[in-house]
């Protein structure tokens, strides 16, 4: 079939790759001049199936109040006259139960594990390189209560067959030797040895080049204005480069997906939650992280990407506002400076923000719509990089009428109906 993929972030490009590999004629359209220049550009760099978990969980409403009052809190809410914001927040609160958390985490881990396996296969098949490392993720706890709260995650991971380690201070230092310099700052950790890291932007651009070699056409710098419907099908996409048509359409526009769907009478609870990152050059190898360290107190990820340290975090609920706020950078600086004070040069760090497309239950929306030729691949939140290859393969299978290799029914938008 002729397939039009809307969006050239990591999700859109991964979709294009697997669609092309299945034999389809694929065109990718995006407003940016090159792939991966928005949310995929400078994310935290984690490929973390084991750390895949919904933000909504038991105890989160109480924690959220605490976070809002912290100087370096991980959550910021800037109220707006936007009904979508308040509906999304209410739906998220409704998912803050033990039962919903278990269901949501289990399906997120299922997709993320599958995606990680496909990424490894892709790497072996193509030799693609993107500052990748396979050294695991260490969730670091500054308080004993945080360590004790890992029991529910451990049970779900064990049920899913995901290896994990509960570590004391010395175990954390064995995993991340630079932490020996600040051993008094933490009490233990939770390590996921099968997790990986890598530069999502670099990966997406290299994967796009592989796609182009397979015949995929990239139409960058093209604004998508609206989608048109005729007879229960999508007739095409209106763009500033003309009306584009195809046999099937995959919408992979992240936080902007609901804006194109709404005029069609289609509603998905995807809302932007802004995240920030800094990227600093490594100045002392021995003082820098070897993989990813998650600072649980501040919900900040500190990741080694080649000769750089990427520090990502903050959940800022503020609509589509892309303002770079110095207070948010201060939180990132504080976390990395506290745990790896001599690892990178923060005076030379770049500062970035992006809009994560979040769903209330944490699970992306992947699958068909009531329009017979329109498919969704969006709503991955903080896990687009982790879930990209799996999501791309799943949507390619669904578009092609093949049975996916994992269960996909509970990923579709129909779960909200």
């Amino acid at each position: 079939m002729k397939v039009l993929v809307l969006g050239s972030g990591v999700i859109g490009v991964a979709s294009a790759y697997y669609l092309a590999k299945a034999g389809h004629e694929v065109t990718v359209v995006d407003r940016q001049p090159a792939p991966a220049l928005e949310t995929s550009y400078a994310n935290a760099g984690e490929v973390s199936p084991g750390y895949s978990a919904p933000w909504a969980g038991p105890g989160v409403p109480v924690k959220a109040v605490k976070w809002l009052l912290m100087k370096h809190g991980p959550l910021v809410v800037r109220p707006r006259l936007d009904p979508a914001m308040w509906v999304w927040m209410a739906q998220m609160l409704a998912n803050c139960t033990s039962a919903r958390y278990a269901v949501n985490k289990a399906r997120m881990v299922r997709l993320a594990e599958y995606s990680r396996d496909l990424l490894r296969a892709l790497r072996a098949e193509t030799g693609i390189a993107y500052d990748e490392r396979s050294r695991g993720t260490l969730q670091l706890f500054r308080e004993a209560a945080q360590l004790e709260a890992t029991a529910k995650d451990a049970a779900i991971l064990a049920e899913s067959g995901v290896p994990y380690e509960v570590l004391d201070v010395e175990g954390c230092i064995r995993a991340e030797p630079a932490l020996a310099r600040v051993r008094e700052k933490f009490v233990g950790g939770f390590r996921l040895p099968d997790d990986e890291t890598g530069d999502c932007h670099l990966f997406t651009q290299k994967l796009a080049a592989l796609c182009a070699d397979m015949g995929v056409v990239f139409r960058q710098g093209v604004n998508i204005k609206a989608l048109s419907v005729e007879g229960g099908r999508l007739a095409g996409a209106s763009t500033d480069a003309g009306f584009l048509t195809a046999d099937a359409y995959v919408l992979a526009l992240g936080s902007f997906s609901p804006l194109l769907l709404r005029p069609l009478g289609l509603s998905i609870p995807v809302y932007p939650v802004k995240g920030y990152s800094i990227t600093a050059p490594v100045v002392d190898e021995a003082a820098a992280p070897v993989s990813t360290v998650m600072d649980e107190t501040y919900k900040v990820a500190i990741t080694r990407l080649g000769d750089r340290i990427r520090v990502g975090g903050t959940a800022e609920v503020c609509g589509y506002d892309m303002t770079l706020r110095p207070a948010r950078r201060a939180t990132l600086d504080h976390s990395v400076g506290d745990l790896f004070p001599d690892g990178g040069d923060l005076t030379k760090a770049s500062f970035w923000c992006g809009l994560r497309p979040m769903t209330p239950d944490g699970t992306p929306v992947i699958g068909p719509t009531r329009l017979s030729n329109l498919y969704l691949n969006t709503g991955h939140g903080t896990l687009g990089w982790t879930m990209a290859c799996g999501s791309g393969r799943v949507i390619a299978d669904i578009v092609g009428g093949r049975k996916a290799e994992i269960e996909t029914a509970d990923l579709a938008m129909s779960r909200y109906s």
Side-chain angles (χ1 to χ4, degrees):
M1 290 187 293
K2 183 179 178 182
V3 183
L4 186 64
V5 177
L6 308 176
S8 67
V10 68
I11 298 297
V13 173
S15 300
Y17 176 79
Y18 287 103
L19 285 162
K21 198 171 182 183
H24 301 295
E25 179 186 341
V26 183
T27 298
V28 180
V29 183
D30 194 283
R31 65 184 179 185
Q32 295 293 346
L37 291 183
E38 294 200 26
T39 303
S40 301
Y41 182 72
N43 62 24
E46 304 165 82
V47 178
S48 299
Y51 198 68
S52 299
W55 286 8
V60 166
V62 174
K63 289 179 183 178
V65 174
K66 176 185 174 183
W67 292 334
L68 289 169
L69 299 175
M70 287 171 58
K71 178 181 178 182
H72 293 297
L75 175 65
V76 177
V77 177
R78 302 188 188 281
R80 305 172 69 89
L81 294 175
D82 180 2
M85 171 190 282
W86 300 104
V87 169
W88 179 85
M89 291 175 68
Q91 291 173 326
M92 185 175 178
L93 286 172
N95 276 278
C96 290
T97 66
S98 296
R100 292 307 308 161
Y101 182 86
V103 169
N104 295 334
K105 182 175 176 67
R107 62 188 177 194
M108 292 170 73
V109 169
R110 179 208 315 150
L111 176 59
E113 286 276 301
Y114 177 59
S115 187
R116 195 265 326 280
D117 293 344
L118 286 173
L119 176 60
R120 289 176 174 174
L122 173 62
R123 198 162 61 225
E125 181 181 340
T126 66
I128 192 171
Y130 45 92
D131 282 339
E132 72 280 357
R133 290 186 175 213
S134 301
R135 302 286 293 271
T137 295
L138 175 62
Q139 189 178 8
L140 200 68
F141 303 119
R142 296 174 183 262
E143 301 171 6
Q146 294 170 331
L147 187 60
E148 294 164 3
T150 61
K152 63 180 183 298
D153 279 342
I156 295 170
L157 293 174
E159 187 176 335
S160 302
V162 179
Y164 65 89
E165 301 167 339
V166 180
L167 303 177
D168 59 12
V169 170
E170 295 305 319
C172 293
I173 292 171
R174 283 193 296 273
E176 288 284 353
L179 291 175
R181 306 177 185 212
V182 293
R183 64 173 65 239
E184 74 283 357
K185 302 280 188 180
F186 57 94
V187 300
F190 190 86
R191 184 168 180 263
L192 299 156
D194 282 358
D195 283 5
E196 303 183 0
T197 61
D199 187 327
C200 180
H201 173 249
L202 184 59
F203 170 84
T204 307
Q205 292 211 319
K206 289 195 172 184
L207 188 62
L210 292 174
C211 286
D213 290 341
M214 297 164 67
V216 175
V217 174
F218 285 84
R219 302 194 63 174
Q220 301 290 157
V222 174
N223 288 298
I224 304 160
K225 298 178 178 179
L227 304 177
S228 299
V229 176
E230 284 183 11
R233 292 171 55 85
L234 207 62
S238 298
T239 75
D240 55 13
F243 192 69
L244 306 181
T245 63
D247 301 312
Y249 302 80
V250 174
L251 184 61
L253 288 172
S255 298
F256 296 89
S257 299
L259 305 185
L260 278 178
L261 292 174
R262 204 167 293 149
L264 309 182
L266 296 174
S267 177
I268 55 172
V270 172
Y271 196 77
V273 176
K274 186 163 62 172
Y276 293 83
S277 75
I278 57 173
T279 306
V282 171
V283 293
D284 184 346
E285 291 269 344
V290 298
S291 188
T292 291
V293 174
M294 288 291 306
D295 186 346
E296 179 63 17
T297 297
Y298 302 109
K299 300 290 185 181
V300 167
I302 305 167
T303 299
R304 180 69 172 273
L305 296 177
D307 59 0
R308 300 161 293 151
I309 299 174
R310 172 73 50 75
V311 187
T314 299
E316 187 173 345
V317 185
C318 58
Y320 291 85
D321 178 6
M322 290 289 286
T323 304
L324 280 168
R325 301 185 185 276
R328 304 280 64 79
R329 172 167 182 160
T331 297
L332 304 179
D333 287 350
H334 173 74
S335 179
V336 68
D338 202 39
L339 296 177
F340 299 95
D342 304 312
D345 187 350
L346 297 184
T347 66
K348 296 180 179 177
S350 58
F351 186 32
W352 172 90
C353 70
L355 300 177
R356 310 179 184 106
M358 299 293 298
T359 60
D361 60 12
T363 310
V365 184
I366 306 173
T369 68
R370 62 173 173 77
L371 301 176
S372 62
N373 62 343
L374 174 61
Y375 304 86
L376 305 181
N377 198 358
T378 188
H380 295 77
T382 59
L383 297 167
W385 180 203
T386 294
M387 296 179 172
C389 287
S391 300
R393 175 61 189 271
V394 163
I395 204 66
D397 286 342
I398 292 172
V399 170
R402 296 186 303 274
K403 181 176 175 57
E405 294 179 318
I406 61 170
E407 176 59 47
T408 62
D410 55 359
L411 304 178
M413 68 181 295
S414 58
R415 73 180 187 266
Y416 294 113
S417 59

